[in-house]
Amino acid sequence: MKKKESCIFCRIARGEIPCYKVYEDNFVIAFLDVNPASRGHTLVVPKEHCSDFTTCPKDLLDHCFEVAQAIAQAQIAQLGATGVNVLTNVGASAGQSVLHFHIHVIPSYREPILGLKGTNLQIEDKEMLLLQDEIKKAI
Ligand code: 5GP
Ligand code: ZN
């Protein structure tokens, strides 16, 4: 079976699997996460299949983030969220379980839901400079 036929988010976008849809246009669908981190946790998903943030065509990526912004604003205005986490996982080692690009828009209510916990990772100046250089030269 081809990837697009079996992909769970392609199937939701085609209407083959039900969801709590909050927004849809020709390019994007947004719906509540079935296993939410908080009340109103929403996923923004391009209708066209692409594996993750790094492979999504730029115009579509821009549009997905526009929709994510509108959803975050709605969560604050309508749900009473006091904050929002916007994130997208790339690859299994980053926690991506559905290999169809999506943006999590996760409202928080007074308490942090997520956050980058300090790891106490110590990196020496020399290595920080190398890291800076490796990233800079590949952009
Ligand atoms: P990831 O781990 O790939 O960043 O996020 C995938 C998200 O999709 C998870 O939070 C998971 O709960 C959600 N999810 C997986 N399958 C379904 C589904 O069939 N329907 C909905 N609404 N959400 C799903
Ligand atoms: Zn897909």
Side-chain angles (χ1 to χ4, degrees):
M1 197 188 283
K2 285 206 179 116
K3 201 188 290 178
K4 289 181 191 177
E5 282 161 28
S6 60
C7 169
I8 189 106
F9 285 177
C10 284
R11 296 193 64 198
I12 290 174
R14 288 197 296 267
E16 294 170 10
I17 294 177
C19 67
Y20 293 97
K21 183 165 62 187
V22 300
Y23 176 81
E24 181 173 21
D25 62 30
N26 287 339
F27 306 101
V28 167
I29 184 168
F31 50 85
L32 298 182
D33 193 304
V34 77
N35 185 20
S38 67
R39 288 176 55 255
H41 178 172
T42 300
L43 302 173
V44 178
V45 176
K47 290 184 171 180
E48 185 187 318
H49 183 93
C50 58
S51 59
D52 63 56
F53 172 70
T54 64
T55 58
C56 186
K58 187 179 178 307
D59 286 356
L60 189 53
L61 187 71
D62 288 350
H63 185 50
C64 287
F65 275 98
E66 266 175 22
V67 173
Q69 183 189 48
I71 287 166
Q73 289 166 344
Q75 290 168 341
I76 292 166
Q78 300 298 326
L79 301 184
T82 51
V84 183
N85 290 96
V86 179
L87 72 94
T88 180
N89 298 322
V90 179
S93 71
Q96 187 179 8
S97 59
V98 177
L99 302 182
H100 177 135
F101 170 53
H102 52 282
I103 303 169
H104 294 262
V105 187
I106 306 171
S108 58
Y109 304 90
R110 287 166 293 281
E111 299 291 324
I113 301 286
L114 306 169
L116 297 176
K117 306 271 184 295
T119 58
N120 290 325
L121 180 64
Q122 303 287 326
I123 302 178
E124 288 179 5
D125 264 2
K126 206 171 80 180
E127 198 184 346
M128 291 293 266
L129 286 168
L130 274 175
L131 292 166
Q132 177 191 27
D133 197 46
E134 289 298 318
I135 295 171
K136 267 173 71 177
K137 74 184 183 199
I139 292 173

